[in-house]
Amino acid sequence: MVSSSCLHSVLDTAVNGIIVIDDNGTILIYNRACENMFGYKSAEVVGKNVNTLMPSATAKQHDQFIQNYLKSGDPKVVGIGREVVGRHKDGTEIPIELSVGEAQTESGHQFIGVLKDLRATKEYEERLRVLQSNLVTMTRVNALDEMGAAIAHEVNQPLTALMLYLQTAARRARAADQPDDPMISLMGKAVVEAERAGQIIQRMRNFVERQAPQCIGTGLATLIDDCLELVRVGHEADDVEFISTFVDYNYQLELDSVQIQQILVNLIRNAGEAVKDQPVKQVVVSVERDDDNVFVKVMDTGPGLDEEAVSHLFKAFTGTKRRGLGIGLAISRSIAQNHGGDLLVEPYEEGKGATFTLRLPVNSKATS
């Protein structure tokens, strides 16, 4: 004959939760795995109705389920494994795999429930689903990356032809002794805009082209201007003002310009998205320097980032934007750290937008 203490000892070593109830739904046995699962100690629930461990919608119907089964013998859960939802002591809902068996005792019907906590399984499945979705997206992004340089090259050809036609037409108009013809002025403006479009296409081509990392002397002010010009293309309809306060065009840093441009474009684009619905739509890029480092700051007039958002900001696949992979800042920080620097965000201040700081070291080859 197995003693009661021995039985409880065995139950408490079980990996899965085990609950025994009578035909009134009263809890008779509640093992240690259940304590870990639901947060209630055994003394808190033994003698109480099992619906204590259920969401309110299920709890209201549970006693009726037992009575219907005893009268009709029609099983809803008894003898059938199924997935149900439990309720933790703190009110959160828990996905559970439940198997219920029935026993006839001298005291009447008793029901034995074996419960497996599915929270870890559900989290794993959700993580896997997100990773699969991101893998599909990254595959598409990779395909676009390969197409980018070719598209830029193809678009650049008709732009070059357009500039040549306009320049030829303007020269012929001047040769016809019509120097004051307003069409000449319009053609001149069209040439300027076509040249600007060609420069943007070239910047885009350089941005997407795969190149081996190459640290060379790079003009920081020019690099920032190029990044702002790239981002402006996507925000012309939003009336966002993009400003650089750094105008020392003689200052150079030894860095991989393509990789640093990737960081700054990502930061400036994010800032532009943050301010486009704000009363003041402004993104400012500034530079501070000391003997060892250069600090490139991207400041916006958006709503800022709260502490919770900041805590997950540089983790991959945790972005909150509907579009994108959520890996931009994680990759940007890695690039900065590979350069011996870092990417940081300033603490949240109410009424102040977000400020990201890209720190880059000043090495022996940098000039001022």
Side-chain angles (χ1 to χ4, degrees):
M1 186 76 176
V2 180
S3 66
S4 175
S5 61
C6 181
L7 176 62
H8 279 282
S9 177
V10 171
L11 292 174
D12 281 341
T13 61
V15 174
N16 291 329
I18 298 174
I19 298 177
V20 179
I21 64 173
D22 63 17
D23 53 12
N24 292 314
T26 303
I27 298 175
L28 305 176
I29 295 176
Y30 177 90
N31 74 343
R32 189 165 296 157
C34 285
E35 292 182 345
N36 296 332
M37 191 183 307
F38 292 102
Y40 291 100
K41 294 297 183 182
S42 177
E44 294 180 272
V45 295
V46 170
K48 293 185 178 180
N49 195 296
V50 72
N51 61 20
T52 303
L53 307 176
M54 302 175 186
S56 56
T58 307
K60 293 176 183 178
Q61 305 173 27
H62 186 261
D63 289 345
Q64 190 62 44
F65 288 157
I66 295 176
Q67 297 308 314
N68 289 343
Y69 171 71
L70 294 174
K71 290 178 182 177
S72 66
D74 180 27
K76 294 290 184 182
V77 177
V78 178
I80 303 171
R82 62 184 294 183
E83 189 175 318
V84 297
V85 177
R87 185 177 66 87
H88 192 273
K89 186 177 181 178
D90 64 10
T92 58
E93 295 188 349
I94 309 167
I96 294 169
E97 185 180 297
L98 173 65
S99 300
V100 179
E102 179 188 10
Q104 288 281 2
T105 71
E106 295 177 357
S107 304
H109 283 82
Q110 291 185 357
F111 300 94
I112 302 94
V114 179
L115 303 86
K116 181 180 179 181
D117 190 339
L118 296 179
R119 280 176 292 188
T121 301
K122 293 293 183 182
E123 289 173 5
Y124 172 79
E125 289 174 351
E126 175 60 18
R127 179 70 171 164
L128 182 61
R129 185 194 66 78
V130 172
L131 287 173
Q132 288 174 334
S133 174
N134 285 330
L135 180 60
V136 171
T137 305
M138 289 183 74
T139 302
R140 293 165 61 190
V141 170
N142 185 59
L144 287 174
D145 180 50
E146 294 175 354
M147 293 167 58
I151 292 173
H153 176 71
E154 293 300 324
V155 172
N156 209 41
Q157 285 184 328
L159 277 174
T160 302
L162 178 63
M163 283 189 291
L164 292 173
Y165 288 139
L166 288 169
Q167 289 168 348
T168 301
R171 280 197 300 270
R172 289 184 177 180
R174 292 191 191 96
D177 295 327
Q178 297 175 337
D180 298 327
D181 191 333
M183 291 299 295
I184 296 178
S185 175
L186 289 175
M187 283 186 285
K189 291 178 180 179
V191 169
V192 170
E193 291 303 312
E195 288 175 343
R196 176 173 171 268
Q199 291 168 359
I200 292 171
I201 291 295
Q202 186 58 44
R203 292 190 189 105
M204 293 177 67
R205 181 177 179 179
N206 292 337
F207 186 70
V208 301
E209 235 174 16
R210 293 185 179 182
Q211 300 177 15
Q214 199 173 30
C215 288
I216 58 174
T218 302
L220 185 58
T222 301
L223 179 67
I224 293 171
D225 288 349
D226 287 348
C227 294
L228 291 173
E229 190 66 28
L230 276 171
V231 176
R232 284 191 185 103
V233 175
H235 286 276
E236 290 177 346
D238 299 326
D239 296 324
V240 178
E241 186 179 14
F242 294 95
I243 301 170
S244 172
T245 62
F246 187 61
V247 293
D248 185 353
Y249 288 93
N250 294 320
Y251 184 80
Q252 291 197 337
L253 278 178
E254 194 80 9
L255 49 78
D256 186 305
S257 59
V258 173
Q259 291 189 353
I260 299 305
Q261 186 184 56
Q262 182 178 345
I263 298 175
L264 292 178
V265 167
N266 187 46
L267 295 178
I268 297 167
R269 284 187 62 221
N270 288 347
E273 289 291 324
V275 304
K276 68 180 183 180
D277 296 322
Q278 299 298 310
V280 178
K281 306 175 183 182
Q282 191 176 79
V283 177
V284 178
V285 181
S286 63
V287 175
E288 297 176 6
R289 291 174 278 179
D290 62 24
D291 292 338
D292 301 313
N293 296 283
V294 174
F295 304 90
V296 183
K297 294 180 177 285
V298 179
M299 300 167 283
D300 65 57
T301 55
L305 297 162
D306 59 33
E307 291 183 7
E308 183 179 358
V310 169
S311 66
H312 298 289
L313 207 56
F314 296 103
K315 296 178 183 177
F317 303 110
T318 56
T320 57
K321 294 190 291 186
R322 182 179 65 84
R323 298 173 62 185
L325 297 173
I327 60 174
L329 290 175
I331 291 176
S332 294
R333 170 172 272 185
S334 296
I335 293 172
Q337 291 174 344
N338 288 339
H339 274 75
D342 206 351
L343 180 60
L344 307 167
V345 61
E346 292 189 4
Y348 172 74
E349 289 185 35
E350 189 172 354
K352 183 180 177 183
T355 299
F356 284 83
T357 300
L358 171 62
R359 178 178 66 82
L360 295 169
V362 176
N363 56 38
S364 58
K365 295 183 181 179
T367 60
S368 179

